[in-house]
Amino acid sequence: MGMPETANVVVLPFVETDMKGRKSDEFVRMPESDFEEILARAAEQGARRALADVGLDGHDAAADIHDLRTLLAAIRDARRTAFQTFIRLIVTAVLLALMAGVAVKMKIFN
C-alpha cells in the first residue's frame, strides 16, 4: 500500500507494551482517507452495537423508536394535564373558601 507524496497523511501515536511491561512509542502513518474510512466504520459498528445492547436493532427498530417517542409525548401531556388540573382544584378551593367566608359574614344562611 504505497502512499503518494501529495496525499494528506495522518500520524497517530501507537503505544505498545511488551511482555516485560516496557512501552515502545512508535507512530503509524496512513493516508487521511484511509483513516476517515476506519473511523466511519468504527462509528457505524459502535452505533449498531449500542442499539443492539438496548434492544433497538432489526427491522422494527424505526417503529420501536417512533413508539417510544409517542409514549414519551403522551407521558409529558398527561403530566401537564395533571398539573393543570391540580392548579384548577386549588384555585377552585380558594374561591369556594372565599365565597363561604363572604356568605358567613353576610349571614346569608342564618
Side-chain angles (χ1 to χ4, degrees):
M1 194 177 185
M3 284 187 284
E5 293 296 323
T6 59
N8 292 335
V9 176
V10 178
V11 179
L12 303 167
F14 179 73
V15 179
E16 184 179 49
T17 306
D18 64 7
M19 300 283 277
K20 295 180 181 178
R22 295 179 297 207
K23 291 184 179 180
S24 65
D25 296 331
E26 298 178 16
F27 292 92
V28 175
R29 296 173 57 92
M30 70 176 65
E32 189 173 353
S33 61
D34 289 351
F35 179 68
E36 288 175 359
E37 183 180 328
I38 291 171
L39 281 179
R41 206 171 339 147
E44 185 176 338
Q45 288 175 356
R48 288 183 191 280
R49 188 175 305 138
L51 288 172
D53 287 348
V54 295
L56 291 174
D57 56 340
H59 299 294
D60 297 332
D64 292 342
I65 291 173
H66 181 288
D67 291 346
L68 286 172
R69 288 183 177 172
T70 303
L71 178 62
L72 285 174
I75 289 171
R76 288 185 190 118
D77 190 37
R79 187 183 312 149
R80 182 175 44 252
T81 302
F83 181 72
Q84 289 173 350
T85 302
F86 177 73
I87 295 298
R88 286 183 183 146
L89 178 70
I90 296 297
V91 169
T92 303
V94 169
L95 288 176
L96 284 174
L98 286 173
M99 289 173 61
V102 168
V104 168
K105 195 73 164 172
M106 295 180 70
K107 298 180 183 178
I108 293 175
F109 298 111
N110 230 358

